[in-house]
Amino acid sequence: MTKYEFVPFSFHEYAPPEMLERSAAFYDELRRRRTIREFSDRPVAREVIENCLRAAGSAPSGANLQPWSFVVVSDPETKRKIRAAAEEEEREFYASRAPPEWLAALAPLGTDEHKPYLETAPYLIAVFSRSYDLRDDGTRVKHYYAVESVGLATGMLIAAVHHAGLASLTHTPSPMNFLNQVLDRPASERAFLLLVVGYPADDAVVPDIRRKPLEEIATFV
Ligand code: IYR
């Protein structure tokens, strides 16, 4: 591999008071993000989704190999297939596969095997982690920290969607292999998450959850 050309870093510096103000404003914006499960079918411009995906694609990744693929589903027939397959897995999950402790952890959220939003929401973004890329000659370019990198990109995608003024749901039917079949993805890809994106339904409700305070999640030494 030849070395990259190194170019000056165009760093954007803020005066300390502005930095403080920006950090508080960003927190204020992100804390308003909620995962919702009731979506409107209101259409959303594809360009907005494209920009959110560009933001996600700017995430750091192992050796800058960018081991992600995003499949944006808006086609009703494909959404229907995804819903049918996800509900089949979820039926089994809730009826027998999930250990009682897991079901107890989910009980306060009131989730069940019914996933109508997989057809209602205008977009489902299937996020795939790629364990390798293929060169033209068929040899493999191995990826490093692929799952961690995709997690970072997905976090940025969720933040971008929220910043754009849309809501999302991080959906993880388990197992998710059916996404490879329905979306015809190669063996190098593994489904990481299905992000449901759109406007909330007019009467959408969310559980009155609390977030752990800073003292509980962070330690300064
Ligand atoms: N995938 C199931 C169960 C589920 C699991 C977790 I962890 C959640 O935070 C929420 C749901 C479902 O989508 O219902």
PDB file of all heavy atoms in Angstrom, residues 39-41 73-84 87 115-124 196:
ATOM      1  N   PHE A  39     -44.901   5.647  13.808  1.00  0.00           N
ATOM      2  CA  PHE A  39     -44.454   6.517  12.723  1.00  0.00           C
ATOM      3  C   PHE A  39     -45.622   6.968  11.862  1.00  0.00           C
ATOM      4  O   PHE A  39     -46.633   6.269  11.730  1.00  0.00           O
ATOM      5  CB  PHE A  39     -43.449   5.778  11.841  1.00  0.00           C
ATOM      6  CG  PHE A  39     -42.074   5.679  12.454  1.00  0.00           C
ATOM      7  CD1 PHE A  39     -41.788   4.668  13.361  1.00  0.00           C
ATOM      8  CD2 PHE A  39     -41.087   6.600  12.143  1.00  0.00           C
ATOM      9  CE1 PHE A  39     -40.528   4.570  13.944  1.00  0.00           C
ATOM     10  CE2 PHE A  39     -39.821   6.513  12.721  1.00  0.00           C
ATOM     11  CZ  PHE A  39     -39.540   5.499  13.629  1.00  0.00           C
ATOM     12  N   SER A  40     -45.447   8.146  11.248  1.00  0.00           N
ATOM     13  CA  SER A  40     -46.376   8.640  10.239  1.00  0.00           C
ATOM     14  C   SER A  40     -45.894   8.141   8.879  1.00  0.00           C
ATOM     15  O   SER A  40     -44.711   7.829   8.723  1.00  0.00           O
ATOM     16  CB  SER A  40     -46.344  10.174  10.287  1.00  0.00           C
ATOM     17  OG  SER A  40     -46.739  10.722   9.057  1.00  0.00           O
ATOM     18  N   ASP A  41     -46.813   8.090   7.908  1.00  0.00           N
ATOM     19  CA  ASP A  41     -46.384   7.695   6.553  1.00  0.00           C
ATOM     20  C   ASP A  41     -46.012   8.923   5.715  1.00  0.00           C
ATOM     21  O   ASP A  41     -45.816   8.823   4.504  1.00  0.00           O
ATOM     22  CB  ASP A  41     -47.466   6.856   5.861  1.00  0.00           C
ATOM     23  CG  ASP A  41     -48.764   7.621   5.676  1.00  0.00           C
ATOM     24  OD1 ASP A  41     -48.839   8.814   6.090  1.00  0.00           O
ATOM     25  OD2 ASP A  41     -49.727   7.041   5.124  1.00  0.00           O
ATOM     26  N   VAL A  73     -34.426   1.438   2.189  1.00  0.00           N
ATOM     27  CA  VAL A  73     -35.621   0.784   1.644  1.00  0.00           C
ATOM     28  C   VAL A  73     -36.818   1.721   1.747  1.00  0.00           C
ATOM     29  O   VAL A  73     -37.197   2.131   2.848  1.00  0.00           O
ATOM     30  CB  VAL A  73     -35.922  -0.519   2.422  1.00  0.00           C
ATOM     31  CG1 VAL A  73     -37.168  -1.204   1.850  1.00  0.00           C
ATOM     32  CG2 VAL A  73     -34.727  -1.462   2.400  1.00  0.00           C
ATOM     33  N   SER A  74     -37.408   2.033   0.582  1.00  0.00           N
ATOM     34  CA  SER A  74     -38.670   2.789   0.587  1.00  0.00           C
ATOM     35  C   SER A  74     -39.725   2.052  -0.239  1.00  0.00           C
ATOM     36  O   SER A  74     -40.908   2.373  -0.162  1.00  0.00           O
ATOM     37  CB  SER A  74     -38.463   4.212   0.032  1.00  0.00           C
ATOM     38  OG  SER A  74     -37.930   4.138  -1.268  1.00  0.00           O
ATOM     39  N   ASP A  75     -39.305   1.058  -0.992  1.00  0.00           N
ATOM     40  CA  ASP A  75     -40.223   0.279  -1.822  1.00  0.00           C
ATOM     41  C   ASP A  75     -41.200  -0.515  -0.938  1.00  0.00           C
ATOM     42  O   ASP A  75     -40.760  -1.312  -0.091  1.00  0.00           O
ATOM     43  CB  ASP A  75     -39.379  -0.681  -2.695  1.00  0.00           C
ATOM     44  CG  ASP A  75     -40.251  -1.721  -3.365  1.00  0.00           C
ATOM     45  OD1 ASP A  75     -41.211  -1.322  -4.041  1.00  0.00           O
ATOM     46  OD2 ASP A  75     -39.988  -2.932  -3.178  1.00  0.00           O
ATOM     47  N   PRO A  76     -42.527  -0.289  -1.123  1.00  0.00           N
ATOM     48  CA  PRO A  76     -43.516  -0.921  -0.239  1.00  0.00           C
ATOM     49  C   PRO A  76     -43.427  -2.448  -0.203  1.00  0.00           C
ATOM     50  O   PRO A  76     -43.586  -3.055   0.858  1.00  0.00           O
ATOM     51  CB  PRO A  76     -44.865  -0.469  -0.811  1.00  0.00           C
ATOM     52  CG  PRO A  76     -44.564   0.746  -1.614  1.00  0.00           C
ATOM     53  CD  PRO A  76     -43.158   0.601  -2.108  1.00  0.00           C
ATOM     54  N   GLU A  77     -43.145  -3.059  -1.332  1.00  0.00           N
ATOM     55  CA  GLU A  77     -43.102  -4.531  -1.371  1.00  0.00           C
ATOM     56  C   GLU A  77     -41.903  -5.054  -0.556  1.00  0.00           C
ATOM     57  O   GLU A  77     -42.016  -6.056   0.167  1.00  0.00           O
ATOM     58  CB  GLU A  77     -43.045  -4.992  -2.845  1.00  0.00           C
ATOM     59  CG  GLU A  77     -42.954  -6.484  -3.057  1.00  0.00           C
ATOM     60  CD  GLU A  77     -44.074  -7.286  -2.366  1.00  0.00           C
ATOM     61  OE1 GLU A  77     -45.129  -6.709  -2.027  1.00  0.00           O
ATOM     62  OE2 GLU A  77     -43.864  -8.499  -2.154  1.00  0.00           O
ATOM     63  N   THR A  78     -40.781  -4.364  -0.652  1.00  0.00           N
ATOM     64  CA  THR A  78     -39.599  -4.780   0.119  1.00  0.00           C
ATOM     65  C   THR A  78     -39.846  -4.549   1.608  1.00  0.00           C
ATOM     66  O   THR A  78     -39.480  -5.373   2.450  1.00  0.00           O
ATOM     67  CB  THR A  78     -38.341  -4.022  -0.367  1.00  0.00           C
ATOM     68  OG1 THR A  78     -38.283  -4.114  -1.786  1.00  0.00           O
ATOM     69  CG2 THR A  78     -37.073  -4.594   0.232  1.00  0.00           C
ATOM     70  N   LYS A  79     -40.496  -3.432   1.936  1.00  0.00           N
ATOM     71  CA  LYS A  79     -40.829  -3.172   3.348  1.00  0.00           C
ATOM     72  C   LYS A  79     -41.751  -4.266   3.878  1.00  0.00           C
ATOM     73  O   LYS A  79     -41.603  -4.725   5.012  1.00  0.00           O
ATOM     74  CB  LYS A  79     -41.491  -1.790   3.504  1.00  0.00           C
ATOM     75  CG  LYS A  79     -40.516  -0.633   3.353  1.00  0.00           C
ATOM     76  CD  LYS A  79     -41.064   0.648   3.936  1.00  0.00           C
ATOM     77  CE  LYS A  79     -41.994   1.345   2.994  1.00  0.00           C
ATOM     78  NZ  LYS A  79     -42.448   2.649   3.506  1.00  0.00           N
ATOM     79  N   ARG A  80     -42.690  -4.688   3.032  1.00  0.00           N
ATOM     80  CA  ARG A  80     -43.625  -5.736   3.456  1.00  0.00           C
ATOM     81  C   ARG A  80     -42.883  -7.041   3.751  1.00  0.00           C
ATOM     82  O   ARG A  80     -43.130  -7.694   4.760  1.00  0.00           O
ATOM     83  CB  ARG A  80     -44.684  -5.948   2.355  1.00  0.00           C
ATOM     84  CG  ARG A  80     -45.887  -6.772   2.785  1.00  0.00           C
ATOM     85  CD  ARG A  80     -46.721  -7.237   1.607  1.00  0.00           C
ATOM     86  NE  ARG A  80     -45.961  -8.041   0.663  1.00  0.00           N
ATOM     87  CZ  ARG A  80     -45.535  -9.283   0.875  1.00  0.00           C
ATOM     88  NH1 ARG A  80     -45.801  -9.883   2.022  1.00  0.00           N
ATOM     89  NH2 ARG A  80     -44.831  -9.933  -0.045  1.00  0.00           N
ATOM     90  N   LYS A  81     -41.931  -7.368   2.880  1.00  0.00           N
ATOM     91  CA  LYS A  81     -41.146  -8.601   3.083  1.00  0.00           C
ATOM     92  C   LYS A  81     -40.330  -8.500   4.374  1.00  0.00           C
ATOM     93  O   LYS A  81     -40.218  -9.477   5.124  1.00  0.00           O
ATOM     94  CB  LYS A  81     -40.187  -8.818   1.913  1.00  0.00           C
ATOM     95  CG  LYS A  81     -40.830  -9.339   0.667  1.00  0.00           C
ATOM     96  CD  LYS A  81     -39.747  -9.687  -0.346  1.00  0.00           C
ATOM     97  CE  LYS A  81     -40.342  -9.944  -1.710  1.00  0.00           C
ATOM     98  NZ  LYS A  81     -39.402  -9.680  -2.795  1.00  0.00           N
ATOM     99  N   ILE A  82     -39.746  -7.345   4.614  1.00  0.00           N
ATOM    100  CA  ILE A  82     -38.930  -7.162   5.824  1.00  0.00           C
ATOM    101  C   ILE A  82     -39.814  -7.272   7.057  1.00  0.00           C
ATOM    102  O   ILE A  82     -39.459  -7.939   8.037  1.00  0.00           O
ATOM    103  CB  ILE A  82     -38.172  -5.812   5.779  1.00  0.00           C
ATOM    104  CG1 ILE A  82     -37.079  -5.872   4.709  1.00  0.00           C
ATOM    105  CG2 ILE A  82     -37.595  -5.452   7.146  1.00  0.00           C
ATOM    106  CD1 ILE A  82     -36.327  -4.583   4.485  1.00  0.00           C
ATOM    107  N   ARG A  83     -40.983  -6.646   7.005  1.00  0.00           N
ATOM    108  CA  ARG A  83     -41.891  -6.735   8.160  1.00  0.00           C
ATOM    109  C   ARG A  83     -42.288  -8.186   8.432  1.00  0.00           C
ATOM    110  O   ARG A  83     -42.237  -8.647   9.586  1.00  0.00           O
ATOM    111  CB  ARG A  83     -43.148  -5.889   7.925  1.00  0.00           C
ATOM    112  CG  ARG A  83     -44.124  -6.036   9.071  1.00  0.00           C
ATOM    113  CD  ARG A  83     -45.418  -5.296   8.857  1.00  0.00           C
ATOM    114  NE  ARG A  83     -46.335  -5.531   9.969  1.00  0.00           N
ATOM    115  CZ  ARG A  83     -47.560  -5.066  10.028  1.00  0.00           C
ATOM    116  NH1 ARG A  83     -48.045  -4.317   9.062  1.00  0.00           N
ATOM    117  NH2 ARG A  83     -48.316  -5.338  11.084  1.00  0.00           N
ATOM    118  N   ALA A  84     -42.658  -8.899   7.365  1.00  0.00           N
ATOM    119  CA  ALA A  84     -43.099 -10.292   7.539  1.00  0.00           C
ATOM    120  C   ALA A  84     -41.986 -11.132   8.168  1.00  0.00           C
ATOM    121  O   ALA A  84     -42.220 -11.887   9.117  1.00  0.00           O
ATOM    122  CB  ALA A  84     -43.521 -10.871   6.187  1.00  0.00           C
ATOM    123  N   GLU A  87     -41.254  -9.966  11.853  1.00  0.00           N
ATOM    124  CA  GLU A  87     -42.303 -10.383  12.798  1.00  0.00           C
ATOM    125  C   GLU A  87     -42.244 -11.885  13.073  1.00  0.00           C
ATOM    126  O   GLU A  87     -42.540 -12.324  14.183  1.00  0.00           O
ATOM    127  CB  GLU A  87     -43.684  -9.949  12.287  1.00  0.00           C
ATOM    128  CG  GLU A  87     -43.879  -8.441  12.437  1.00  0.00           C
ATOM    129  CD  GLU A  87     -45.286  -7.965  12.102  1.00  0.00           C
ATOM    130  OE1 GLU A  87     -45.954  -8.619  11.278  1.00  0.00           O
ATOM    131  OE2 GLU A  87     -45.698  -6.930  12.667  1.00  0.00           O
ATOM    132  N   LYS A 115     -44.784  -5.282  14.396  1.00  0.00           N
ATOM    133  CA  LYS A 115     -43.889  -4.226  13.922  1.00  0.00           C
ATOM    134  C   LYS A 115     -44.496  -3.479  12.730  1.00  0.00           C
ATOM    135  O   LYS A 115     -43.920  -3.435  11.630  1.00  0.00           O
ATOM    136  CB  LYS A 115     -42.528  -4.837  13.516  1.00  0.00           C
ATOM    137  CG  LYS A 115     -41.899  -5.744  14.573  1.00  0.00           C
ATOM    138  CD  LYS A 115     -41.541  -4.969  15.829  1.00  0.00           C
ATOM    139  CE  LYS A 115     -40.986  -5.845  16.913  1.00  0.00           C
ATOM    140  NZ  LYS A 115     -40.901  -5.183  18.222  1.00  0.00           N
ATOM    141  N   PRO A 116     -45.704  -2.883  12.911  1.00  0.00           N
ATOM    142  CA  PRO A 116     -46.354  -2.216  11.767  1.00  0.00           C
ATOM    143  C   PRO A 116     -45.515  -1.067  11.194  1.00  0.00           C
ATOM    144  O   PRO A 116     -45.575  -0.775   9.996  1.00  0.00           O
ATOM    145  CB  PRO A 116     -47.665  -1.683  12.365  1.00  0.00           C
ATOM    146  CG  PRO A 116     -47.480  -1.689  13.847  1.00  0.00           C
ATOM    147  CD  PRO A 116     -46.518  -2.801  14.137  1.00  0.00           C
ATOM    148  N   TYR A 117     -44.692  -0.463  12.048  1.00  0.00           N
ATOM    149  CA  TYR A 117     -43.889   0.685  11.573  1.00  0.00           C
ATOM    150  C   TYR A 117     -42.921   0.294  10.458  1.00  0.00           C
ATOM    151  O   TYR A 117     -42.459   1.148   9.704  1.00  0.00           O
ATOM    152  CB  TYR A 117     -43.126   1.339  12.733  1.00  0.00           C
ATOM    153  CG  TYR A 117     -42.423   0.375  13.654  1.00  0.00           C
ATOM    154  CD1 TYR A 117     -41.260  -0.268  13.274  1.00  0.00           C
ATOM    155  CD2 TYR A 117     -42.946   0.101  14.926  1.00  0.00           C
ATOM    156  CE1 TYR A 117     -40.616  -1.158  14.110  1.00  0.00           C
ATOM    157  CE2 TYR A 117     -42.311  -0.794  15.782  1.00  0.00           C
ATOM    158  CZ  TYR A 117     -41.143  -1.424  15.366  1.00  0.00           C
ATOM    159  OH  TYR A 117     -40.521  -2.296  16.199  1.00  0.00           O
ATOM    160  N   LEU A 118     -42.617  -1.012  10.352  1.00  0.00           N
ATOM    161  CA  LEU A 118     -41.715  -1.423   9.274  1.00  0.00           C
ATOM    162  C   LEU A 118     -42.357  -1.204   7.901  1.00  0.00           C
ATOM    163  O   LEU A 118     -41.661  -1.181   6.888  1.00  0.00           O
ATOM    164  CB  LEU A 118     -41.297  -2.893   9.442  1.00  0.00           C
ATOM    165  CG  LEU A 118     -40.427  -3.183  10.680  1.00  0.00           C
ATOM    166  CD1 LEU A 118     -40.178  -4.681  10.833  1.00  0.00           C
ATOM    167  CD2 LEU A 118     -39.109  -2.421  10.610  1.00  0.00           C
ATOM    168  N   GLU A 119     -43.684  -1.029   7.879  1.00  0.00           N
ATOM    169  CA  GLU A 119     -44.344  -0.693   6.614  1.00  0.00           C
ATOM    170  C   GLU A 119     -44.804   0.760   6.573  1.00  0.00           C
ATOM    171  O   GLU A 119     -44.906   1.349   5.502  1.00  0.00           O
ATOM    172  CB  GLU A 119     -45.555  -1.614   6.397  1.00  0.00           C
ATOM    173  CG  GLU A 119     -45.146  -3.009   5.989  1.00  0.00           C
ATOM    174  CD  GLU A 119     -46.331  -3.819   5.522  1.00  0.00           C
ATOM    175  OE1 GLU A 119     -46.967  -4.483   6.374  1.00  0.00           O
ATOM    176  OE2 GLU A 119     -46.620  -3.799   4.311  1.00  0.00           O
ATOM    177  N   THR A 120     -45.075   1.339   7.740  1.00  0.00           N
ATOM    178  CA  THR A 120     -45.615   2.708   7.783  1.00  0.00           C
ATOM    179  C   THR A 120     -44.545   3.751   7.496  1.00  0.00           C
ATOM    180  O   THR A 120     -44.768   4.702   6.727  1.00  0.00           O
ATOM    181  CB  THR A 120     -46.194   3.014   9.191  1.00  0.00           C
ATOM    182  OG1 THR A 120     -46.885   1.885   9.661  1.00  0.00           O
ATOM    183  CG2 THR A 120     -47.067   4.240   9.171  1.00  0.00           C
ATOM    184  N   ALA A 121     -43.392   3.619   8.132  1.00  0.00           N
ATOM    185  CA  ALA A 121     -42.351   4.644   8.020  1.00  0.00           C
ATOM    186  C   ALA A 121     -41.849   4.731   6.575  1.00  0.00           C
ATOM    187  O   ALA A 121     -41.784   3.722   5.874  1.00  0.00           O
ATOM    188  CB  ALA A 121     -41.199   4.317   8.962  1.00  0.00           C
ATOM    189  N   PRO A 122     -41.504   5.941   6.130  1.00  0.00           N
ATOM    190  CA  PRO A 122     -41.080   6.070   4.728  1.00  0.00           C
ATOM    191  C   PRO A 122     -39.759   5.375   4.407  1.00  0.00           C
ATOM    192  O   PRO A 122     -39.540   4.955   3.275  1.00  0.00           O
ATOM    193  CB  PRO A 122     -40.971   7.579   4.515  1.00  0.00           C
ATOM    194  CG  PRO A 122     -40.887   8.184   5.876  1.00  0.00           C
ATOM    195  CD  PRO A 122     -41.608   7.254   6.797  1.00  0.00           C
ATOM    196  N   TYR A 123     -38.865   5.261   5.416  1.00  0.00           N
ATOM    197  CA  TYR A 123     -37.559   4.650   5.137  1.00  0.00           C
ATOM    198  C   TYR A 123     -37.151   3.646   6.204  1.00  0.00           C
ATOM    199  O   TYR A 123     -37.281   3.920   7.405  1.00  0.00           O
ATOM    200  CB  TYR A 123     -36.449   5.714   5.080  1.00  0.00           C
ATOM    201  CG  TYR A 123     -36.583   6.657   3.920  1.00  0.00           C
ATOM    202  CD1 TYR A 123     -37.026   7.966   4.110  1.00  0.00           C
ATOM    203  CD2 TYR A 123     -36.281   6.235   2.623  1.00  0.00           C
ATOM    204  CE1 TYR A 123     -37.159   8.839   3.044  1.00  0.00           C
ATOM    205  CE2 TYR A 123     -36.415   7.103   1.545  1.00  0.00           C
ATOM    206  CZ  TYR A 123     -36.849   8.397   1.763  1.00  0.00           C
ATOM    207  OH  TYR A 123     -36.989   9.245   0.705  1.00  0.00           O
ATOM    208  N   LEU A 124     -36.620   2.527   5.740  1.00  0.00           N
ATOM    209  CA  LEU A 124     -35.899   1.604   6.612  1.00  0.00           C
ATOM    210  C   LEU A 124     -34.458   1.631   6.100  1.00  0.00           C
ATOM    211  O   LEU A 124     -34.219   1.406   4.912  1.00  0.00           O
ATOM    212  CB  LEU A 124     -36.445   0.171   6.479  1.00  0.00           C
ATOM    213  CG  LEU A 124     -37.961  -0.018   6.605  1.00  0.00           C
ATOM    214  CD1 LEU A 124     -38.321  -1.499   6.412  1.00  0.00           C
ATOM    215  CD2 LEU A 124     -38.445   0.479   7.964  1.00  0.00           C
ATOM    216  N   VAL A 196     -35.287   2.592  11.487  1.00  0.00           N
ATOM    217  CA  VAL A 196     -36.567   3.037  10.939  1.00  0.00           C
ATOM    218  C   VAL A 196     -36.572   4.567  11.042  1.00  0.00           C
ATOM    219  O   VAL A 196     -36.276   5.118  12.106  1.00  0.00           O
ATOM    220  CB  VAL A 196     -37.740   2.439  11.759  1.00  0.00           C
ATOM    221  CG1 VAL A 196     -39.076   2.791  11.131  1.00  0.00           C
ATOM    222  CG2 VAL A 196     -37.579   0.920  11.889  1.00  0.00           C
TER     223      VAL A 196
END
